[in-house]
């Protein structure tokens, strides 16, 4: 789908003995998730297969397609999924008309849904006060998504432990973030759907008696799962973000709506990452201080407990940020046009290919730093000021 990157540099090999496990973290964002498929295509062609995939919403679906297939089937299954997500021919034709075509296509998506993903819930027409039941109170039904997932994901393979999968969902009643993890339990289509059950569009999913909504409500950037893991491991983390935290001042109502959505679903990603960086540096400092204790002091149970907060694992985090496309508006996350999907897929492929050619994780870094951030945006790798 994507063109080859315009660079003569071959991707550098990743030394897993040095970098540790390969982790792919995928943010939520509807149709914007095609960018993540392009990211994976570039990694796959470079021979980089993740050990652990973490996702929320559309990121959870892409993650399941990766973890739930053998390496040679992953890219074909991603292509098949995104092919099914494209507008039907009638919507494509109307969407290609000048001036108002995109708005017409968005309207038809909202009225008719997307084959293989969601379809209108006729009971929603009974009005907002109608009692539909906790698992049916939504504008759309997602039974077709369950069928799609069961056709394209091998859940036996997914649960075999070959590639770990974690998907984030929000507990409706407690308001707490919960990660369904294939290392801890058997996952099926319900867990993936729960991660993408964005209200009021999609209905909540009940699992073990509890209702769950889209994890993006609480944390659309699930990178914290890597740092909260027990035990932590050295990792090279590709964190793929779909919503831009940066943007110009909006000067129209349409631009205000688009900017508000960007900020909401960017989910304070950069500040969360920086906070994790601060915490992980403190873990390194504690571990280094513990080494300086006089012999015998470490046997003290209280001191031993405090020293246990230390950690010398090293995390290289490559942050890939999907670019804004010309003409995008507040409904870009339902832009399932072939052109939109192709443009985002290609952007993810090219951005990742540049990063792999650059291989910033091989650069010298402060040995006291346990978290090294590499920012990749606007088609090039930006140096992290603290590590430059």
């Amino acid at each position: 789908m994507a063109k080859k990157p315009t660079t003569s540099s071959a991707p550098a090999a990743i030394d897993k003995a040095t970098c540790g496990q390969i982790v792919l973290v995928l943010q939520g964002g509807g149709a914007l998730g095609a960018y993540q498929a392009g990211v994976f295509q570039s990694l796959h062609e470079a021979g980089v297969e993740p050990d652990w995939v973490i996702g929320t919403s559309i990121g959870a679906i892409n993650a399941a397609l990766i973890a739930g297939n053998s390496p040679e089937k992953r890219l074909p299954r991603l292509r098949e999924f995104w092919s099914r997500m494209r507008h039907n021919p009638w919507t494509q034709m109307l969407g290609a008309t000048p001036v108002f075509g995109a708005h017409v296509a968005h309207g038809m998506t909202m009225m008719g849904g997307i084959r293989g993903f969601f379809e209108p819930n006729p009971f929603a027409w009974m009005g907002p006060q109608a009692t539909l039941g906790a698992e049916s109170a939504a504008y759309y039904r997602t039974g077709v998504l369950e069928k799609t997932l069961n056709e394209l994901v091998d859940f036996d393979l997914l649960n075999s432990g070959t590639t770990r999968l974690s998907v984030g969902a929000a507990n409706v009643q407690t308001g707490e973030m919960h990660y369904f993890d294939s290392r801890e339990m058997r996952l099926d289509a319900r867990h993936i759907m729960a991660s993408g059950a964005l209200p009021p569009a999609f209905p909540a999913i009940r699992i073990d008696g509890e209702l769950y909504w889209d994890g993006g409500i609480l944390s659309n950037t699930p990178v914290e799962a890597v740092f909260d893991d027990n035990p932590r491991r050295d990792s090279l983390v590709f964190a793929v973000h779909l919503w831009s935290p940066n943007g110009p001042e909006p000067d129209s109502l349409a631009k205000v709506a688009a900017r508000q959505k960007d900020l909401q679903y960017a989910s304070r990603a950069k500040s969360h990452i920086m906070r994790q960086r601060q915490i992980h540096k403190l873990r390194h400092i504690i571990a280094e201080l513990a080494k300086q204790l006089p012999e015998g002091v470490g046997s003290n149970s209280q001191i031993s407990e405090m020293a246990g907060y230390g950690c010398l694992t090293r995390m290289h985090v490559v942050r890939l940020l999907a670019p804004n496309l010309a003409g995008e508006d507040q409904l870009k996350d339902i832009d399932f046009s072939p052109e939109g999907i192709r443009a985002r897929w290609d952007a993810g492929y090219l951005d990742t290919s540049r990063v792999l050619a650059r291989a910033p994780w091989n650069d010298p870094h402060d040995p006291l730093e346990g978290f090294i951030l590499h920012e990749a945006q606007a088609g090039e790798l930006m140096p992290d000021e603290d590590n430059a």
Side-chain angles (χ1 to χ4, degrees):
M1 180 176 280
K3 299 177 181 178
K4 296 296 181 183
T6 55
T7 174
S8 59
S9 301
I14 294 176
D15 182 5
K16 294 183 69 172
T18 302
C19 292
Q21 65 180 344
I22 306 297
V23 185
L24 185 57
V25 179
L26 306 176
Q27 197 180 63
L32 308 183
Y35 179 87
Q36 297 168 345
V39 169
F40 177 76
Q41 180 187 353
S42 180
L43 292 172
H44 176 74
E45 291 181 358
V48 180
E49 298 293 343
D51 300 295
W52 184 10
V53 194
I54 307 169
T56 298
S57 198
I58 193 66
I61 294 175
N62 282 330
L65 290 165
I66 294 167
N69 282 289
S70 55
E72 70 277 5
K73 291 183 179 179
R74 290 169 173 173
L75 192 54
R77 290 294 168 87
L78 280 167
R79 286 189 172 122
E80 173 62 22
F81 174 80
W82 284 98
S83 176
R84 296 188 187 191
M85 295 303 104
R86 292 183 301 184
H87 287 151
N88 61 48
W90 179 243
T91 302
Q92 289 181 36
M93 183 182 70
L94 292 177
T97 57
V99 185
F100 297 110
H103 298 289
V104 172
H106 292 338
M108 292 184 70
T109 297
M110 289 187 285
M111 292 296 294
I114 292 290
R115 64 190 180 100
F117 196 172
F118 60 93
E119 58 188 5
N121 177 11
F123 296 105
W125 291 99
M126 295 171 61
Q129 303 301 326
T131 301
L132 305 179
E135 296 165 79
S136 300
Y139 290 112
Y140 301 96
R141 298 186 297 196
T142 53
V144 288
L145 175 60
E146 183 175 16
K147 182 174 182 293
T148 296
L149 289 171
N150 284 324
E151 288 176 353
L152 299 182
V153 176
D154 181 342
F155 282 100
D156 287 333
L157 177 63
L158 187 152
N159 288 289
S160 70
T162 304
T163 301
R164 183 179 175 188
L165 174 66
S166 301
V167 296
N171 188 300
V172 175
Q173 292 177 287
T174 67
E176 295 179 349
M177 188 71 176
H178 182 81
Y179 285 97
F180 297 108
D181 192 329
S182 64
R183 191 179 68 177
E184 310 295 335
M185 61 185 296
R186 182 175 177 83
L187 302 186
D188 57 40
R190 295 172 305 150
H191 301 92
I192 315 305
M193 293 169 66
S195 184
L198 183 65
F202 300 153
I205 302 295
R206 191 179 300 278
I207 298 173
D208 296 333
E210 300 284 338
L211 281 177
Y212 292 94
W213 273 335
D214 192 310
I217 294 174
L218 299 177
S219 178
N220 200 38
T221 310
V223 73
E224 73 264 12
V226 182
F227 298 94
D228 291 340
D229 197 30
N230 185 21
R232 279 180 291 275
R233 296 171 55 191
D234 290 345
S235 303
L236 173 54
V237 182
F238 293 91
V240 188
H241 297 179
L242 303 178
W243 301 90
S244 178
N246 305 310
E249 294 182 358
D251 57 8
S252 69
L253 289 175
K255 291 179 181 178
V256 166
R259 189 74 195 116
Q260 181 270 333
K261 206 167 189 179
D262 266 337
L263 294 178
Q264 178 181 354
Y265 291 116
S267 191
R268 296 176 61 201
K270 188 167 185 177
S271 63
H272 287 173
I273 285 176
M274 297 313 294
R275 179 58 57 86
Q276 290 290 348
R277 181 180 187 173
Q278 292 170 346
I279 294 171
H280 206 56
K281 185 168 186 176
L282 285 175
R283 294 187 184 112
H284 265 238
I285 291 172
I286 292 170
E288 293 295 339
L289 286 174
K291 291 180 182 179
Q292 306 303 317
L293 292 174
E295 187 177 351
V297 174
S299 61
N300 181 294
S301 61
Q302 195 171 26
I303 292 177
S304 179
E305 181 181 356
M306 288 188 287
Y309 286 95
C311 177
L312 288 175
T313 55
R314 179 158 286 111
M315 310 284 184
H316 285 272
V317 178
V318 179
R319 185 170 179 255
L320 289 150
L321 179 60
N324 291 317
L325 302 182
E328 285 184 339
D329 58 20
Q330 72 272 25
L331 297 178
K332 61 185 177 180
D333 52 331
I334 61 168
D335 175 20
F336 289 97
S337 66
E339 297 78 15
I341 290 173
R342 185 179 307 111
R344 294 186 177 95
W345 188 304
D346 289 352
Y349 180 88
L350 293 171
D351 286 351
T352 308
S353 296
R354 294 186 185 103
V355 169
L356 290 172
R358 172 69 178 79
W361 46 87
N362 292 329
D363 291 347
H365 55 266
D366 182 349
L368 193 60
E369 286 286 352
F371 183 123
I372 300 93
L373 178 64
H374 310 283
E375 289 275 18
Q377 52 188 313
E380 59 183 285
L381 191 70
M382 307 297 292
D384 181 9
E385 293 180 0
D386 292 338
N387 291 322

